[in-house]
Amino acid sequence: MKMPRRQFVAASAAAAATTPAIANARADFPWASKETYLNTATEHPLSRQTAASMQEYLNALVNGPDSARDKFENGQLMTKVKAMFAKLINAQPNEIGFTPSTQTGENIVLEGLNVMAGGNVVTNDLHYGGSLLNYRERRKQGLDVRIVEHKDYVMDFRDLERVVDRKTKLIAIAIVSNINGYVHEIRKIADLAHSHGAYVYVDAIQAAGAVPIDVKAMGIDFLACSAYKWLQGGRFGYLHVREDLQETALKGKLFGGRTTAKGASRYEISTVSHLGCVCQSEALAYIHSLGIDAVRAHVRPLTARLLKEMPALGYPSITPKGTESPIVSFAVKDQAATKAKLKKAKVVVTLGGYMRVSPSVFNNMADVERLLEALA
Ligand SMILES: Cc1ncc(COP(=O)(O)O)c(C=O)c1O
C-alpha cells in the first residue's frame, strides 16, 4: 500500500503544483494544519480572507452602522454575489434568487409547481436523506412519489425511464450524490423530463464549487444549493429558476417584502442574511480566482489514490470508477475500530455506516497518506 517516499513526494508536488493559486490555498485555510480534515462534503472551512471580510462587517455593526449599511446600499453587494454565482453555473443573474438553504429551495419548487394537486414526482435513493423524507411525507399526504433505487450505487437510466410518464411533473435529482459522489447524467435526465412535459430540479450542494455546472447545456430548470460546502462558507443559499419559468410554471406560493422584486429574487420573500452575503462575496471571488477546472485537477489525484488504495485496506469503494467529483466513499466493516483509528490519527472524514472522504483545495497528498496510514 505504502508509496515509496520519492514517488510520494513527486505525487504530492504534482498535486500541489496545479496552479500557483492552489499551491498557496493550504495557507488560506488554517484549519487544514490543525488536523487532517477530509470532510468538505459536510462543511468547508472558511478561508482567512472570507473570515476577515465577515469580521470587518461584524466590526462595523458593533462600532458604527454606517459602513456596514453602505455595503448593502442599493443592493450592490447582493447584485455582485448573484452575478458571481450565475457565472459559476452559466445562468443569467436574473435567474438567481437567494434562499436560506437547499431544502428551502426544493420546497419552493415543489410548492410552486403545485405538485400536491396531482401527477407524480420522480426522484432516486441517491438523493439527500432529508429530501427523501420530504417526498415520503408528501407521499403520506397523497403525492405519487416514485423513488428509483440504485444498482451498485449507480442509477440505471433505464430504471428512470420506466417510471417517468405523461403525468410526471418533476424529476428531482442531486447532481452529485452526497452518499458516494456519483455524478448523475443531468442532460439525459433533463431530456427525458422535457420529452414528457416535466421539469427537472437539481440539488447542487455537493456540486456547486466542486464540479463544472452549466445549467443551459445540462437543461436544468431549477437548481438549489447552500454555500457551506464546496462554495466555501455561509449558511446561505441560492435558487436558480429558468427565466421563462418564473411565475409561469413556477408560481410564487409565499409572499412578503420581496414578492415584487424582479427575476428569481421574487422567490426570496424576506430580507436575506447580510452576513451570508458578505461571506459569499469573498468566497465566490476566491473560487473564481482559482477556477473550477483547476480545483478539479488538484483534487483528482487525491481521490484517485484513495480509490486505488482503500480496497486493499479492507474498505471496498462504493463510488463507481471514473466518478468525476471530489467525493469518494467506502464500505466499512468495523465501524468502531475505524472510528478509533481515525480519531487517534486526528483524521476527519464522515463515518456513518460507510466512510465518505471529500478533499478540497486545501488538501494535499500528505493528507491522503495520513488517512491511509491510520487505517493500515
Ligand atoms: C445532497 C445534499 N442536499 C441537501 C443537503 C442539506 O442542505 P441544506 O442544509 O442546505 O438544506 C445536504 C447536506 O449534507 C446534502 O448533502
Side-chain angles (χ1 to χ4, degrees), residues 143-214:
L143 177 63
D144 179 357
V145 179
R146 302 168 180 190
I147 304 176
V148 176
E149 290 178 8
H150 67 79
K151 289 190 179 118
D152 273 336
Y153 291 92
V154 171
M155 185 182 72
D156 187 333
F157 187 73
R158 285 164 302 184
D159 291 339
L160 187 70
E161 280 179 317
R162 269 191 274 280
V163 296
V164 173
D165 59 27
R166 283 270 144 218
K167 289 193 169 163
T168 302
K169 277 191 176 158
L170 183 72
I171 303 181
I173 296 277
I175 300 179
V176 172
S177 168
N178 65 294
I179 298 167
N180 65 341
Y182 175 65
V183 186
H184 289 90
E185 298 172 292
I186 299 299
R187 178 77 240 187
K188 254 173 108 173
I189 294 168
D191 287 346
L192 178 68
H194 296 155
S195 67
H196 287 81
Y199 297 105
V200 64
Y201 160 79
V202 294
D203 172 329
I205 194 172
Q206 299 291 5
V211 301
I213 301 177
D214 182 331

Side-chain angles (χ1 to χ4, degrees), residues 2-3 8 305 365-374:
K2 207 162 179 281
M3 228 188 218
F8 163 61
R305 175 113 197 267
M365 197 60 90
D367 293 333
V368 170
E369 185 75 7
R370 271 193 291 278
L371 169 63
L372 295 173
E373 270 171 11

Side-chain angles (χ1 to χ4, degrees), residues 299-345:
V299 173
R300 200 176 283 117
L302 310 188
T303 48
R305 175 113 197 267
L306 286 161
L307 287 171
K308 183 160 175 274
E309 306 278 3
M310 289 286 284
L313 296 176
Y315 297 91
S317 167
I318 61 166
T319 297
K321 273 204 183 71
T323 295
E324 266 300 320
S325 85
I327 301 175
V328 284
S329 296
F330 306 92
V332 176
K333 273 195 219 97
D334 189 339
Q335 184 88 7
T338 303
K339 191 173 172 191
K341 283 178 183 175
L342 294 176
K343 192 166 178 220
K344 188 158 173 253

Side-chain angles (χ1 to χ4, degrees), residues 272-298:
V272 301
S273 161
H274 283 182
L275 188 61
C277 201
V278 169
C279 174
Q280 271 296 286
S281 159
E282 200 65 37
L284 280 177
Y286 188 91
I287 292 167
H288 278 299
S289 79
L290 297 178
I292 296 295
D293 290 342
V295 173
R296 283 292 308 128
H298 174 75

Side-chain angles (χ1 to χ4, degrees), residues 21-37 48 286 298 360-367 370:
I22 284 186
N24 296 328
R26 195 166 178 90
D28 294 332
F29 297 89
W31 187 337
S33 328
K34 301 271 160 54
E35 59 185 5
T36 304
Y37 189 81
R48 289 178 199 278
Y286 188 91
H298 174 75
S360 185
V361 284
F362 55 85
N363 290 113
N364 58 26
M365 197 60 90
D367 293 333
R370 271 193 291 278

Side-chain angles (χ1 to χ4, degrees), residues 46-330:
L46 285 186
S47 72
R48 289 178 199 278
Q49 295 89 327
T50 299
S53 72
M54 292 167 81
Q55 195 59 58
E56 185 198 343
Y57 177 71
L58 290 176
N59 289 345
L61 283 181
V62 172
N63 298 320
D66 286 354
S67 53
R69 204 187 290 135
D70 285 353
K71 263 197 184 299
F72 288 92
E73 195 89 328
N74 308 321
Q76 273 171 19
L77 192 74
M78 298 198 234
T79 304
K80 184 179 146 198
V81 170
K82 280 181 186 166
M84 281 196 286
F85 182 74
K87 188 174 163 210
L88 194 73
I89 64 168
N90 193 30
Q92 290 153 218
N94 70 351
E95 295 177 307
I96 309 299
F98 295 130
T99 177
S101 69
T102 321
Q103 292 171 97
T104 310
E106 187 164 9
N107 275 290
I108 290 171
V109 171
L110 293 171
E111 291 306 316
L113 291 177
N114 209 7
V115 296
M116 300 309 289
N120 65 69
V121 173
V122 175
T123 185
N124 73 355
D125 64 355
L126 293 173
H127 197 0
Y128 178 59
S131 296
L132 291 172
L133 201 74
N134 182 351
Y135 291 110
R136 291 196 178 103
E137 285 302 315
R138 287 175 184 271
R139 180 186 272 164
K140 281 187 212 159
Q141 293 182 19
L143 177 63
D144 179 357
V145 179
R146 302 168 180 190
I147 304 176
V148 176
E149 290 178 8
H150 67 79
K151 289 190 179 118
D152 273 336
Y153 291 92
V154 171
M155 185 182 72
D156 187 333
F157 187 73
R158 285 164 302 184
D159 291 339
L160 187 70
E161 280 179 317
R162 269 191 274 280
V163 296
V164 173
D165 59 27
R166 283 270 144 218
K167 289 193 169 163
T168 302
K169 277 191 176 158
L170 183 72
I171 303 181
I173 296 277
I175 300 179
V176 172
S177 168
N178 65 294
I179 298 167
N180 65 341
Y182 175 65
V183 186
H184 289 90
E185 298 172 292
I186 299 299
R187 178 77 240 187
K188 254 173 108 173
I189 294 168
D191 287 346
L192 178 68
H194 296 155
S195 67
H196 287 81
Y199 297 105
V200 64
Y201 160 79
V202 294
D203 172 329
I205 194 172
Q206 299 291 5
V211 301
I213 301 177
D214 182 331
V215 288
K216 293 195 175 73
M218 293 161 110
I220 292 168
D221 301 311
F222 314 112
L223 169 152
C225 65
S226 278
Y228 58 87
K229 299 184 193 283
W230 306 94
L231 293 176
Q232 304 191 2
R235 297 281 160 175
F236 187 74
Y238 302 96
L239 172 66
H240 157 272
V241 180
R242 216 178 81 192
E243 187 178 26
D244 58 311
L245 303 180
Q246 294 168 13
E247 286 303 333
T248 53
L250 195 77
K251 302 274 188 232
K253 286 294 173 74
L254 297 166
F255 307 100
R258 304 280 294 154
T259 297
T260 53
K262 289 200 167 58
S265 306
R266 74 187 66 187
Y267 302 99
E268 284 168 10
I269 308 152
S270 306
T271 315
V272 301
S273 161
H274 283 182
L275 188 61
C277 201
V278 169
C279 174
Q280 271 296 286
S281 159
E282 200 65 37
L284 280 177
Y286 188 91
I287 292 167
H288 278 299
S289 79
L290 297 178
I292 296 295
D293 290 342
V295 173
R296 283 292 308 128
H298 174 75
V299 173
R300 200 176 283 117
L302 310 188
T303 48
R305 175 113 197 267
L306 286 161
L307 287 171
K308 183 160 175 274
E309 306 278 3
M310 289 286 284
L313 296 176
Y315 297 91
S317 167
I318 61 166
T319 297
K321 273 204 183 71
T323 295
E324 266 300 320
S325 85
I327 301 175
V328 284
S329 296
F330 306 92

